[in-house]
Amino acid sequence: MNDAKRAAEATQLEVRAASKADTSRQPIARLKRAVGVLGHYSWRQIARRGWSQLRRQIADERVIDVPPAPAGLRLEIPDAAREVARIVVDDWSGSKYFYRGDLSSGRLMLLNREAELGWPINWMRNLDDLPHLWRFQLHYHEYLLAWVAAGDADREMRWQTVWNALASWIASHSPDQTRQSADAWHPYCISRRLAVWFWLLALDRPPGRDESAIVASIWQQAGYLQRNLERDVSGNHLMENLTVLVLAASFLECEESEKWFATAERFLDKELERQILPHGEHFERSPMYHCQVLANVLKMAVVARRFDPRFRERWLDTARSMIGFLAAIKTPGGEIPLLGDSVLGEAPTTRQIEQLARLAKIESIEPTPGVSERGGYWVFRRDGAEPSEFLLFDREAVCADTLPAHGHCDLLNVTGDIGGRPWLIDSGNFDYEASTMRQYCRSSIAHNVATVDGENQCAIWSRFRMGRRGRVISRSGGEGNGLVWATAAHDGYRSYRVARLNRLVAAASDGGCWICVDWAESAADTSLTGFLHLSPAIQVTCDEANSSPFTFSLGDGIVEARITFVGVRSVTRRAGWYCPAFGIREPAMVFEYEEGPERKALPGWILQWRAVPLEVSELGERLGTLLPELAKLFNWKTQ
């Protein structure tokens, strides 16, 4: 199949997934959506959000209300900040997704979309044709770190370009000429931008007059941020706000430093306790935002040493727990799995985090071989084998109860790498726009899950809304008969009279075989439809040597495998989208399989790549012995 045909087919699946989103404008449907959302929030959150929206509407045309910076402000670069800055810049040098272009000529590519901004940069250019996140990233200034990291040969020119960019931004966005509704002074943009400025200032110093203007602007932005913390949004946004207040208090010598730190101290302990779950995961259940928050905790612990050491110790304890979780779920290639709203190239890499951890004197945590469980995540890992294996079974909630913005319909998702390369993939995330691609990436169709009648597990709409959502209601696991296994169930289809949708994931203890089956406990006449997404690098052919029409040969040029679908009446090969980074989408093979009409067997699949494949009947006997409750429900057999 040529690329154009695959892309056309992937678009069809995209449109189909978007049609499953809850976008009705009928009053009753809208009321149900509102109830579904508000039922997860406290009255305090609702009131805070309402007040924030009202303030923004009132202040929309008002300019930023901050006083002029006092005279005599002085920049103090903590010694540790230079080490942190080198680590941060070095991380940008290896980013293949984030920044490309020639900043000195005004060409900038963000989210894999290029814009001509001119030089000096025309900050006032109308960018309404670009995504809102693109406009936000323009004001983050993180591309300046990538620009500095690009090479040492023309170092002086690169740094002069950086200081000219900062000077022109300050001149174009002075508080008395900028509306409060402008992206440039949005609290989240301030937080991301000031951190960049601190790392730049730690590595180089601009000419005297430029430095005075930069320091004065930092003072104004930090003061404005302190009075406009994103407590209504909370989550990773609030953590960014608080982190940069700690950094500002560490970099500037002024009366306000203690006030900024006191504000951060007031909220940080409570937010870390609330946002970091007992097993070390950030509560938004997105590995990308987990890395972002973890890196910030480490940076605070390393840089803010002139404050009470008790705070630093608490931050380090939190970081250790978060590092343990990251070590458990990261792939053999050192990447994060693309669960929830996650992409590559947008958050600190695991490499940067490991370097920051060493700087903070935290001992490295190695992934556990064999089976490991961290919270609801079950991982089977064989790193020393050839080929290596990494199988992840996500048995956690889809999102934070009170913050569903980055959650997907991916209950009981499965991803896996073979030989250090992705095989079973999550679709990732293409954008944050109100687009069909956004709806596709959040839908159940875009994940390796089972669905009831092809419907979403959770009610999603808009860009970041999620109302009714399924919950994981049981988990178990064990080993024996040469297999390791885990099960889980969720109630995402209770409105379809399905009390539980169960999934079993198993792997051969000595490697070379993965198994996944599903079954529903239903009072209605429903049918299970499963989806399995393969990496774009995997080639698929029908296995003509096998009598089953549901067996296929797979390969990535190095590892050859065979997949057999069991308990199904049909298997359809489709093209879907794989989005490893914002603005990038590649057609990838998707298997869509449907449960048999008489429910005489568990629907699912068996992936094998060992020299002598195990027979399906043998695997069924092993599982039936381990889990007799399954044997009572269904007979394990192929069609």
Side-chain angles (χ1 to χ4, degrees):
M1 186 185 299
N2 61 42
D3 291 344
K5 187 174 180 180
R6 292 180 71 190
E9 284 198 4
T11 301
Q12 291 176 8
L13 198 63
E14 168 195 341
V15 172
R16 176 178 156 194
S19 71
K20 302 295 183 182
D22 186 359
T23 56
S24 172
R25 295 182 177 274
Q26 295 297 320
I28 294 179
R30 298 178 72 174
L31 179 60
K32 285 183 178 179
R33 286 202 298 264
V35 171
V37 172
L38 297 178
H40 294 278
Y41 295 144
S42 68
W43 66 267
R44 184 171 296 176
Q45 283 181 291
I46 296 171
R48 190 174 287 145
R49 184 63 172 166
W51 172 242
S52 175
Q53 295 288 349
L54 180 61
R55 281 181 60 196
R56 286 172 186 166
Q57 289 180 9
I58 294 173
D60 184 58
E61 297 303 322
R62 296 183 182 179
V63 297
I64 303 296
D65 182 21
V66 296
L73 287 175
R74 197 159 66 88
L75 193 66
E76 178 183 299
I77 309 294
D79 291 339
R82 294 184 173 85
E83 289 299 318
V84 172
R86 279 191 278 269
I87 290 171
V88 171
V89 168
D90 181 60
D91 204 34
W92 282 111
S93 68
S95 174
K96 64 179 180 179
Y97 291 115
F98 184 78
Y99 167 78
R100 295 188 300 277
D102 183 2
L103 187 61
S104 63
S105 64
R107 290 198 309 276
L108 191 60
M109 179 175 282
L110 306 173
L111 307 181
N112 293 287
R113 294 276 297 273
E114 188 174 55
E116 187 78 40
L117 300 178
W119 188 257
I121 292 176
N122 178 10
W123 298 100
M124 298 295 107
R125 190 201 134 174
N126 188 333
L127 300 173
D128 289 343
D129 58 325
L130 291 168
H132 193 198
L133 183 58
W134 200 104
R135 303 195 296 272
F136 258 42
Q137 290 200 349
L138 175 65
H139 294 290
Y140 293 171
H141 288 184
E142 287 167 348
Y143 45 86
L144 297 178
L145 297 171
W147 174 253
V148 168
D152 295 327
D154 45 5
R155 183 180 187 280
E156 185 174 346
M157 180 277 290
R158 288 185 177 275
W159 279 105
Q160 189 56 54
T161 301
V162 166
W163 304 131
N164 288 344
L166 264 61
S168 66
W169 186 92
I170 292 170
S172 300
H173 298 95
S174 60
D176 58 346
Q177 298 177 14
T178 305
R179 290 181 298 143
Q180 292 187 31
S181 59
D183 291 339
W185 279 72
H186 188 284
Y188 191 68
C189 289
I190 291 175
S191 302
R192 298 284 289 259
R193 178 172 58 248
L194 286 189
V196 171
W197 289 15
F198 290 138
W199 309 135
L200 293 171
L201 289 165
L203 293 177
D204 196 78
R205 301 295 283 268
R209 182 177 297 177
D210 288 347
E211 179 171 315
S212 297
I214 291 170
V215 172
S217 183
I218 290 173
W219 184 89
Q220 290 181 309
Q221 292 180 62
Y224 181 78
L225 177 63
Q226 184 205 16
R227 297 189 297 276
N228 292 274
L229 297 176
E230 294 178 89
R231 296 179 64 197
D232 59 317
V233 177
S234 184
N236 70 86
H237 276 234
L238 183 55
M239 286 301 301
E240 286 285 341
N241 300 163
L242 299 174
T243 298
V244 89
L245 285 183
V246 171
L247 295 179
S250 302
F251 274 78
L252 257 63
E253 282 194 352
C254 59
E255 292 181 6
E256 288 71 22
S257 291
E258 293 294 340
K259 187 192 304 182
W260 296 336
F261 190 83
T263 298
E265 176 197 349
R266 176 184 165 197
F267 294 107
L268 268 171
D269 279 354
K270 181 169 64 176
E271 286 302 316
L272 288 173
E273 183 178 357
R274 186 174 73 91
Q275 293 192 31
I276 308 307
L277 301 173
H279 60 275
E281 181 184 15
H282 186 252
F283 77 148
E284 292 185 70
R285 270 88 173 190
S286 159
M288 180 177 79
Y289 288 111
H290 178 91
C291 288
Q292 185 175 310
V293 172
L294 170 54
N296 282 336
V297 172
L298 287 168
K299 290 166 186 174
M300 287 191 296
V302 169
V303 172
R305 293 190 176 185
R306 68 186 180 94
F307 297 99
D308 193 326
R310 290 176 298 177
F311 304 135
R312 181 173 181 270
E313 288 306 312
R314 289 201 289 269
W315 298 337
L316 289 174
D317 286 343
T318 299
R320 290 186 187 96
S321 178
M322 297 182 75
I323 289 170
F325 171 76
L326 183 60
I329 68 162
K330 71 179 181 180
T331 70
E335 299 286 8
I336 57 171
L338 302 183
L339 308 176
D341 268 350
S342 292
V343 294
L344 304 176
E346 288 293 322
T349 63
T350 59
R351 176 171 169 265
Q352 180 187 144
I353 288 168
E354 288 166 0
Q355 292 176 317
L356 291 171
R358 284 196 293 271
L359 197 58
K361 303 295 192 295
I362 295 178
E363 294 183 7
S364 123
I365 300 175
E366 295 301 320
T368 302
V371 171
S372 64
E373 294 187 58
R374 194 86 179 194
Y377 297 89
W378 182 89
V379 175
F380 177 65
R381 188 187 297 268
R382 297 180 75 244
D383 288 340
E386 185 58 44
S388 64
E389 297 182 39
F390 172 79
L391 180 64
L392 184 149
F393 183 18
D394 178 0
R395 303 180 297 173
E396 270 293 346
V398 295
C399 61
D401 280 345
T402 56
L403 187 55
H406 298 298
H408 289 199
C409 300
D410 60 356
L411 284 164
L412 310 189
N413 194 13
V414 175
T415 63
D417 289 22
I418 302 174
R421 298 172 300 281
W423 272 62
L424 312 183
I425 59 170
D426 187 281
S427 292
N429 198 36
F430 182 75
D431 63 13
Y432 279 168
E433 297 299 293
S435 65
T436 55
M437 276 303 296
R438 177 66 174 155
Q439 292 169 340
Y440 170 80
C441 290
R442 297 185 77 203
S443 74
S444 290
I445 287 176
H447 302 92
N448 300 322
V449 301
T451 69
V452 170
D453 296 336
E455 298 293 333
N456 284 327
Q457 302 163 336
C458 311
I460 56 170
W461 72 95
S462 185
R463 294 178 301 159
F464 300 111
R465 299 287 181 262
M466 181 182 288
R468 171 192 57 79
R469 63 201 69 160
R471 300 166 298 164
V472 176
I473 53 179
S474 71
R475 292 193 287 253
S476 66
E479 60 181 300
N481 287 358
L483 298 173
V484 293
W485 55 270
T487 68
H490 70 78
D491 65 355
Y493 293 106
R494 56 192 181 276
S495 61
Y496 292 81
R497 298 172 65 197
V498 176
R500 297 162 60 95
L501 200 160
N502 303 271
R503 167 162 280 191
L504 163 77
V505 173
S509 303
D510 57 353
C513 177
W514 296 344
I515 305 163
C516 178
V517 291
D518 301 281
W519 69 102
E521 298 176 29
S522 173
D525 184 18
T526 57
S527 175
L528 295 187
T529 301
F531 297 89
L532 186 63
H533 296 249
L534 303 181
S535 164
I538 306 300
Q539 299 296 315
V540 181
T541 57
C542 291
D543 194 340
E544 297 179 356
N546 194 289
S547 58
S548 170
F550 305 135
T551 297
F552 302 86
S553 295
L554 312 178
D556 66 354
I558 300 174
V559 175
E560 299 297 323
R562 186 181 80 181
I563 189 167
T564 300
F565 291 88
V566 296
V568 298
R569 64 179 175 184
S570 67
V571 177
T572 305
R573 288 187 288 172
R574 303 189 183 281
W577 291 119
Y578 175 51
C579 307
F582 282 128
I584 290 180
R585 61 180 189 175
E586 307 170 40
M589 180 65 69
V590 181
F591 285 113
E592 180 178 349
Y593 53 97
E594 294 188 48
E595 179 181 25
E598 298 179 4
R599 299 186 184 177
K600 291 184 177 179
L602 296 176
W605 48 264
I606 303 169
L607 177 63
Q608 301 182 75
W609 59 96
R610 57 193 298 163
V612 182
L614 294 170
E615 292 299 322
V616 171
S617 58
E618 179 187 350
L619 290 170
E621 288 178 9
R622 292 189 188 186
L623 285 171
T625 303
L626 289 170
L627 300 169
E629 66 271 23
L630 298 188
K632 293 176 183 177
L633 285 171
F634 300 97
N635 295 316
W636 179 277
K637 64 180 182 180
T638 58
Q639 295 295 313

